[in-house]
Amino acid sequence: MCDKKYPVVHQFTPTVAFGDGVANGVLLTQKLLREFGFHSDIFICSNYVDYRFKHDVKHLDEYIPNKNQVLLYHFSIGHSYHDKIMNFIDKKILVYHNITPSYFFSRDTVLYTLCKLGREQLRNSQSYFMGSYADSFYSLQELKAYGYRNSKVLPLLTYDNKKRISPQSQEMISKYASSYNIIFVGRIVSNKCQHQLVDVIYSLRQKNIKNIKLFLIGAV
């Protein structure tokens, strides 16, 4: 049963990209909120929307603030709408997905600028949120370092993919059934630390585990 005091729980995320973990979590959160009886929409500040989500999201310019609403503010990068959202009269909860340190990017890139801006915005926004939670203990420690109080860990929501295994997937499962398989699905960029998987493989071999196969299937 939904809380009569806060029957509306919307979400904001800068953008929604197909196959992105945060985007999948946002969509699943909306599905669960609606099943629980809340009115819940997703708002973004990007002018580009993947055609697969054009009916699932709205632009933040359509958002109508209300003190009786709750806004889940998903944060993983800086953006120009931050100050506008902070001034909304809604009850706001920060959902922190971590920000890639800017030093992983060249200073003349957009990502460097936005990641640096994101940390500045995070550092200066504690007073605007009634609560906050992070995907992991690592991210939680960062929130605490910036003065966010009463923060909790809530792992990113994911769909159960077991029901969506295709015949082709079954063939691949059979093909690699005899090997010890490690699958890495993150983007192939330095901050994802794929190189640490070499240490993992070394440790497994020290435990006499043979026939190890490593699959890097993230986008470049």
Side-chain angles (χ1 to χ4, degrees), residues 22-36:
V22 172
N24 287 342
V26 169
L27 291 165
L28 180 53
T29 298
Q30 181 194 52
K31 179 177 181 294
L32 294 174
L33 285 170
R34 288 179 172 178
E35 288 179 356
F36 291 147

Side-chain angles (χ1 to χ4, degrees), residues 5-63:
K5 187 177 181 183
Y6 301 132
V8 180
V9 181
H10 292 312
Q11 297 183 89
F12 167 81
T13 185
T15 188
V16 172
F18 181 75
D20 178 72
V22 172
N24 287 342
V26 169
L27 291 165
L28 180 53
T29 298
Q30 181 194 52
K31 179 177 181 294
L32 294 174
L33 285 170
R34 288 179 172 178
E35 288 179 356
F36 291 147
F38 291 90
H39 175 61
S40 183
D41 291 324
I42 298 170
F43 294 85
I44 64 174
C45 60
S46 173
N47 290 320
Y48 168 78
V49 180
D50 187 293
Y51 72 93
R52 285 162 286 205
F53 301 122
K54 64 180 181 179
H55 299 300
D56 299 312
V57 302
K58 300 179 180 180
H59 196 277
L60 189 67
D61 289 340
E62 301 178 60
Y63 192 84

Side-chain angles (χ1 to χ4, degrees), residues 72-207:
L72 299 181
Y73 180 74
H74 295 266
F75 196 58
S76 60
I77 196 168
H79 57 87
S80 60
Y81 278 75
H82 179 81
D83 291 342
K84 177 178 180 178
I85 297 173
M86 293 304 97
N87 287 317
F88 285 169
I89 59 176
D90 307 60
K91 310 294 189 299
K92 292 178 285 291
I93 296 175
L94 174 69
V95 185
Y96 185 49
H97 302 289
N98 202 271
I99 301 170
T100 302
S102 59
Y103 56 72
F104 279 103
F105 308 104
S106 300
R107 288 179 173 268
D108 59 348
T109 61
V110 173
L111 283 175
Y112 174 88
T113 300
L114 293 181
C115 288
K116 187 172 184 295
L117 173 64
R119 290 198 176 275
E120 294 172 356
Q121 292 172 336
L122 181 69
R123 185 182 298 112
N124 298 315
S125 301
Q126 306 93 327
S127 62
Y128 294 100
F129 295 99
M130 64 181 292
S132 60
Y133 61 91
D135 291 343
S136 65
F137 179 76
Y138 177 86
S139 296
L140 177 67
Q141 295 305 108
E142 189 170 356
L143 288 182
K144 289 183 176 180
Y146 285 140
Y148 287 82
R149 300 180 179 179
N150 300 318
S151 298
K152 304 296 181 181
V153 173
L154 181 62
L156 188 65
L157 297 177
T158 59
Y159 287 94
D160 181 359
N161 292 320
K162 293 181 180 178
K163 298 178 180 178
R164 298 202 295 271
I165 295 178
S166 65
Q168 291 82 4
S169 299
Q170 292 287 7
E171 292 176 6
M172 184 167 290
I173 290 172
S174 298
K175 181 178 179 180
Y176 295 104
S178 62
S179 57
Y180 190 102
N181 305 301
I182 301 174
I183 301 175
F184 182 90
V185 298
R187 289 181 295 115
I188 309 301
V189 289
S190 57
N191 63 286
K192 297 298 183 180
C193 298
Q194 293 92 342
H195 62 278
Q196 293 182 351
L197 292 171
V198 176
D199 295 329
V200 172
I201 293 174
Y202 175 79
S203 297
L204 290 172
R205 286 181 172 174
Q206 292 297 104
K207 296 180 182 297

